[in-house]
């Protein structure tokens, strides 16, 4: 059953690089699995850890936060703050037993359509064998 | 050795001269030996003040509450408060200063040394001796704890009776104070956190099971949050328990209140609550251990905060509450911050 | 009261409808809470499509519209304008991107449809909480700052000044002119570079609307479009241009000789010097790093001979502040560092030159007065090898891009060589010839045919010296054979790199660079002269390698973009800015610390937003522990509800 599982991924993409990069994947007609729902935010620096925990709580199997490469953030350093916050979250989640693969971060520039598709493909591949994420998922 | 008479003297002077509006300290409690927090407002009462290994509370909580109370008053007494602070408590003061919750002039800090020892974990001691009979608990030599039982002195090595956090403490004297009592003896921590080590060594499924077992007991009574001096927010984002629905509250305001988690203590919601609290305390938690002490379900909450304390140090060389002038952990960054986890 | 939301699903011909069942999207959305009208249509962005939106907003009394179509980068403005013309606030219109982020990247129709539904539902939830907003109005300073005084900066400055806009032109070197002033003759018409440039330089210096700062650098820029404040560092020249009479006495006595930048080291200059006779401003500069000391005891010879007492050793660096409304970056290029080209002996053998050095040899005012002579022995080279694409188009070792101008100037060099040395033989190693441009192809062909220059397709592996000759080893890939040429001179068409200070300047301006280090344009096709930073524009090679005609054209484009901003009485700033919930704010100032634009401060214990400075990045919102600060129309509530909608619909 596990290999059948279609993971649900939420991707927080900064508007200027990563969302534009995923647009670039579109313009270049690069195919990737449809498991990812993009949520465009202004900057990776605007992604609160609450968003990520909430996404898991609302049923996401995986969460991606993606921003501009260091030095390229449209707001100069939003991604640097994001990097710090996410580093700690990245340590905390496996500590309570959540598979480390479920939360990922990437730098994807507006030109890196291909990299975006590779990240999503890889992400889906890693999540499939893990099955659904139930630890943080709200079950009423 | 801290001479409690010296603390009393200073407290008396401050009160007599009208320099402070009160002294927050420890007094002998109703349950005999176990000290409790007290606000002393009259010079006559200062003799009630004690300092011994049962002074576990983080009195900074009362600084926070007084501050909030002041905000509610029309003509508040603006004189400072004197407060007895241990090493960990003093770092909590630093965090409050860092976050501009209080100004330095608002407190007079009566710093006490933990005597190369720490405070007693009541549960540990009661496991070793029946409680009724303990008449007094005092500091002995070399960090040992002395309990007087039926007039008889029994000496306990620190490992047996001290609170875990004291065994793990690296700074057992205040980092900020106005008056200092006792000696600054830098104690080497026995282990910075065997509890965290243990969890880190578990396999992923074990970790998950461990936390599921622990957190499934959480009643969401919020005792941890109520006792935490860092949880001073007007409303908690995870569960806006204090969101006052007043007659003027519009339907829209109510609808706009985000329900990040369900109110009921479902395991998933308990996880999210504790994770958010841990993240919100990263770089702020000073490990005073109060949350864990008050938890009616004995959930090892400290192990969450301790993990992030460890990572904040490992990844960013950051220790909470060491410097009231430095930017907070998350409101700064270094170009060289690790990013090997980023693709 | 809940908003009445209309959802308009676009087919985009078959671009969306080919992979996404648009009817099903519309159908599912019609059942989604808050959605009171849905429709699908073949081209929403067409006039009839837009009219449909306008008509339905009115008929159905919609409070908001979601258009499920292509990326918001393309048509957000279009649809917001349409919504506005129907009486809606433009911020009540949102785009669900179901093309770039859905139909174009998936093949399975069911899955793509399901995803499109989730995306659209998420956007409906976001829109539900959108506030109607009005743009923030900001006044405009009607002056422009131009950084870099090459042909790009000069042309932009003149175009602007002639449009009655005050210009501040900052050039880091002692004179304006850039690389063009170093060139001999320019392709494809072979007119003399200096002859066509110097009149423009003079015009710059004389123009009442242009304030020129040479030997100066921009140190700091604060503010925002319409209202920048620039701090400019004026390096001390130690010579007062007003007093200097250009008598040249000082250089006669100066004992220090250093390589002359203008001739790329082919000649020397003194520590006190004028870069070239036509320099603007026409004055001398004392190179303090080369000067042994300004104390009379160290030297001070120049001071002694200067009759008008123009030399002032006490000059200090000066920082001046200029207020401007727009900025143009025209910082041009440098040649690829010769360190990188050891295999061609560049920097090791004096007769291996780069293109610019060869330009100086060709120049009538150059070190050899226009004669082609070897730097080593001043003999005329009879066999000369030109190598193209040196350091360009080599993603493994060097720069991946094409430097664009080298094919043309190499053809020019070979041709001019033949004009000078009739009996000489010129060889050109090339990968392929890129001669796109008016008259360019013809120019190259004439070089090959009329001048008898031998073009060899292939790469050179090595250049080394043997018995006074430069031995060039290469392959001719067309003939399929190895070639050895014993040449007298080798000229390398070195790659064009962004000028050395580009990275620093990019940080100062908060303007992005592309992966190669050139300043990034806002859109490769549609916004080629704008940077991603509002109010900052690009001209010339600073943006990408290009020749003079293209540079001049882009300079004109940048000028008109500046005019289009500065001609407005006031500018509109996006209202998507942070707002503070004072009830929740405890004044901890963490947000103040993180804001990249210094838009926040603590006033009476609460955070306060300077809306004109706020760029709406939301870094503060994620930092605040209390959710007390959020960006309008992308609040935590909106993200939460978007998450719920897009995850809730999942099985
Ligand atoms: C060998 C060679 C031959 C060429 N021949 C031809 C030809 O025949 N025909 C043709 O059309 N094109 C030719 N070109 C191309 C031509 O040189 C460029 O198109 C043109 O010079 C570009 O002008 P620019 O103003 O963009 O840059 P530049 O000429 O590089 O000018 C940039 C200016 O900005 C200044 N600057 C840089 N950084 C800063 C800073 N941080 N602050 C202040 N000032 C700064 C520099 O000092 C310089 O003055 C040739 C190029 C080469 C290399
Ligand atoms: S971070 Fe939040 S609480 Fe702190 S000052 Fe800013 S808005 Fe107020
Ligand atoms: S949204 Fe960004 S720019 Fe605006 S106040 Fe917050 S951190 Fe500063
Ligand atoms: S805008 Fe992309 S990370 Fe900040």
């Amino acid at each position: 059953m596990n290999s059948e599982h279609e993971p649900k991924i939420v991707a927080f993409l900064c508007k200027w690089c990563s969302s534009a990069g995923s647009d670039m994947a579109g313009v270049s007609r690069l195919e990737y699995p449809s498991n990812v729902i993009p949520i465009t935010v202004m900057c990776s620096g605007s992604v609160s850890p609450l968003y990520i925990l909430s996404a898991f709580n609302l049923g996401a199997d995986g969460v991606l936060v993606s921003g501009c490469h260091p030095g390229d953030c449209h707001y100069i350093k939003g991604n640097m703050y994001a990097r710090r916050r996410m580093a700690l979250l990245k340590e905390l989640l496996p500590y309570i037993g959540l598979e480390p693969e479920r939360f990922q971060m990437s730098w994807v520039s507006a030109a890196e359509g291909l990299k975006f598709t590779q990240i999503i493909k890889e992400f889906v591949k890693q999540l499939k064998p893990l099955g659904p994420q139930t630890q943080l998922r709200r079950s009423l | 050795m801290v001479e409690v008479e010296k603390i009393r003297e200073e407290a008396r002077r401050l009160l007599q001269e009208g320099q402070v509006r009160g002294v927050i300290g420890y007094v002998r409690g109703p349950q005999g030996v176990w000290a409790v927090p007290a606000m002393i407002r009259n010079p006559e009462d200062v003799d009630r003040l004690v300092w011994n290994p049962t002074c576990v509370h983080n009195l900074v909580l009362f600084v926070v509450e007084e501050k909030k109370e002041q905000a509610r008053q029309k003509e508040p007494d603006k004189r400072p408060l004197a407060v007895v602070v241990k090493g960990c408590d003093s770092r909590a003061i630093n965090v409050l200063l860092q976050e501009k919750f209080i100004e330095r002039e608002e407190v007079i800090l009566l710093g006490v040394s933990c005597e190369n020892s720490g405070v007693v974990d009541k549960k540990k001691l009661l496991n070793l001796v029946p409680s009724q009979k303990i008449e007094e608990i005092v500091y002995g030599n070399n960090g040992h704890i002395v309990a007087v039982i039926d007039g008889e002195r029994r000496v306990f090595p620190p490992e047996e009776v001290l609170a875990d956090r004291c065994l793990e403490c690296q700074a057992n004297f205040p980092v900020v104070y106005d008056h200092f009592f006792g000696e600054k003896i830098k104690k080497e921590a026995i282990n910075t956190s065997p509890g965290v080590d243990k969890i880190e060594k578990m396999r992923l499924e074990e970790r998950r099971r461990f936390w599921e077992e622990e957190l499934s007991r959480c009643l969401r009574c919020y005792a941890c949050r109520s006792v935490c001096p860092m949880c001073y927010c007007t409303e908690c984002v995870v569960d806006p328990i204090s969101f006052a629905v007043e007659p003027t509250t519009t339907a829209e305001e109510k609808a706009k209140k985000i329900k990040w988690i369900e109110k009921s203590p479902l395991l998933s919601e308990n996880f999210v609550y504790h994770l958010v609290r841990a993240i919100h305390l990263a770089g702020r938690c000073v490990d005073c251990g109060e949350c864990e002490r008050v938890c009616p379900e004995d959930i090892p909450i400290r192990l969450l905060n301790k993990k992030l304390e460890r990572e904040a140090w490992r990844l960013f060389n950051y220790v909470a509450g060491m410097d009231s002038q430095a930017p907070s952990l998350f409101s700064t960054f270094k170009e060289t911050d690790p990013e090997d986890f980023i693709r | 009261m809940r908003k009445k939301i209309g959802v308009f699903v676009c087919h985009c011909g078959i671009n969306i409808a080919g992979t996404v069942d648009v009817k099903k999207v519309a159908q599912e959305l019609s059942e989604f809470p808050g959605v009171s009208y849905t429709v699908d249509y073949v081209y929403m962005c067409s006039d009839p499509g837009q009219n449909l939106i306008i008509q339905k907003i009115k008929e159905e009394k919609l409070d908001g519209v979601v258009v499920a179509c292509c990326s918001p980068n393309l048509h957000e403005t279009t649809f917001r304008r349409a919504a506005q013309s129907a009486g809606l606030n433009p911020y009540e219109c949102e785009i669900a991107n179901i093309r770039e982020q859905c139909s174009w990247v998936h093949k399975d129709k069911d899955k793509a449809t399901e995803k499109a539904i989730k995306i659209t539902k998420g956007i409906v939830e976001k829109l539900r909480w959108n506030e109607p907003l009005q743009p923030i109005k900001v006044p405009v300073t009607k002056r422009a700052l131009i950084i870099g005084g090459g042909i790009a900066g000069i042309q932009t400055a003149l175009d602007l000044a002639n449009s009655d806009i005050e210009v501040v032109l900052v050039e880091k070197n002692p004179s304006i002119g850039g690389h063009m002033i170093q060139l001999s003759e320019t392709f494809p018409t072979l007119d003399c570079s200096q002859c066509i440039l110097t009149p423009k330089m003079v015009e710059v210096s004389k123009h009442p609307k242009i304030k020129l700062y040479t030997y100066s650098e921009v140190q700091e820029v604060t503010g925002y479009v319409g209202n920048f404040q620039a701090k400019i560092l004026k390096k001390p020249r130690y010579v007062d241009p007003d007093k200097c009479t250009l008598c040249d006495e000082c250089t006669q006595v100066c004992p220090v000789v250093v390589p002359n930048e203008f001739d790329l080291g082919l000649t020397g200059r003194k520590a006190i010097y004028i870069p070239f006779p036509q320099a603007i401003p026409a004055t001398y500069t004392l190179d303090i790093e080369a000067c042994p000391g300004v104390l009379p005891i160290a030297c001070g010879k120049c001071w002694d001979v200067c009759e008008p007492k123009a030399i002032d050793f006490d000059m200090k660096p000066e920082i001046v502040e200029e207020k401007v409304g727009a900025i143009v970056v025209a910082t041009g290029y440098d040649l690829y560092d010769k360190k990188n080209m050891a295999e061609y002996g560049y920097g090791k053998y004096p007769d291996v030159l780069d293109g610019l050095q060869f330009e100086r040899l060709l120049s009538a005012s150059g070190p050899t007065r226009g004669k082609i002579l070897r730097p080593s022995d001043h003999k005329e080279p009879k066999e000369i090898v030109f190598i193209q694409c040196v350091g360009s188009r080599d993603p493994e070792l060097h720069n991946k891009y094409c430097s664009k101008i080298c094919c043309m100037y190499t053809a020019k060099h070979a041709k001019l060589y033949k004009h000078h040395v009739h009996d000489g033989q010129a060889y050109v190693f090339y990968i392929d010839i890129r001669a796109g441009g008016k008259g360019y192809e013809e120019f190259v062909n004439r070089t090959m045919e009329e001048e008898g220059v031998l073009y060899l397709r292939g790469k050179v592996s090595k250049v080394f010296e043997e018995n006074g000759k430069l031995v060039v080893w290469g392959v001719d890939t067309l003939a399929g054979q190895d070639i050895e040429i014993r040449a007298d001179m080798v000229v390398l068409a070195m790659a064009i790199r962004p000028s050395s200070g580009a990275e620093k300047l990019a940080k100062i301006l908060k303007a992005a660079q592309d992966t190669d280090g050139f300043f990034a344009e806002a859109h490769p096709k549609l916004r080629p002269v704008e940077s991603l930073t509002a109010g900052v524009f690009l001209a010339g090679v600073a943006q990408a390698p290009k020749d003079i005609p293209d540079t001049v054209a882009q300079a004109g484009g940048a000028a008109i973009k500046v005019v289009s901003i500065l001609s407005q009485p006031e500018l509109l700033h996006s209202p998507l800015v942070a707002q503070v919930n004072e009830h929740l704010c405890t004044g901890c100032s963490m947000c103040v610390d993180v804001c990249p634009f210094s838009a926040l401060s603590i006033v009476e214990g609460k955070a306060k937003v300077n809306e004109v400075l706020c760029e709406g990045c939301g870094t503060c919102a994620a930092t605040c522990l209390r959710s007390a600060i959020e960006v309008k129309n992308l609040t935590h509530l909106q993200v939460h509800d978007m998450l719920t909608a897009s995850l809730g619909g999942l099985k």
Side-chain angles (χ1 to χ4, degrees), chain C residues 245-317:
Chain C
T245 58
L246 301 172
C247 66
D248 204 42
E249 296 286 346
C250 49
T251 65
Q252 312 292 331
V253 296
C254 177
V256 183
V257 181
V258 291
N260 183 354
E261 304 81 357
F262 188 71
D263 285 333
L264 298 119
L266 292 176
T267 57
R269 64 156 170 85
K270 296 294 181 66
I272 190 162
Y273 69 109
I274 183 163
F276 50 94
Q278 310 90 325
I280 297 286
T283 190
Y284 283 65
T285 301
L286 190 144
D287 174 357
I288 199 69
E289 265 152 45
C291 175
V294 293
L295 294 174
I297 185 163
C299 177
K301 290 200 170 70
C302 53
W303 191 85
D304 294 339
V305 299
C306 182
E307 203 121 309
K309 291 289 162 250
I311 298 174
D312 175 5
F313 288 143
D314 292 330
M315 265 189 203
K316 295 269 170 314

Side-chain angles (χ1 to χ4, degrees), chain C residues 231-249:
Chain C
K231 284 204 176 120
I232 298 162
L233 170 76
K234 287 172 72 181
K235 290 175 277 188
R237 277 180 200 276
Y238 304 101
V239 176
D240 181 346
D242 294 336
K243 291 190 189 152
C244 172
T245 58
L246 301 172
C247 66
D248 204 42
E249 296 286 346

Side-chain angles (χ1 to χ4, degrees), chain C residues 585-591 602 607 624 626 628-629:
Chain C
C585 175
T586 62
C588 73
S589 86
M590 279 167 79
C591 56
I602 301 287
C624 179
R626 303 161 186 100
I629 188 164

Side-chain angles (χ1 to χ4, degrees), chain C residues 578 595-597 599-600 609 613-620 629 631:
Chain C
C595 177
F597 302 97
L600 296 169
V609 183
L613 290 179
C614 173
E615 290 285 324
C617 68
T619 303
C620 53
I629 188 164
V631 176

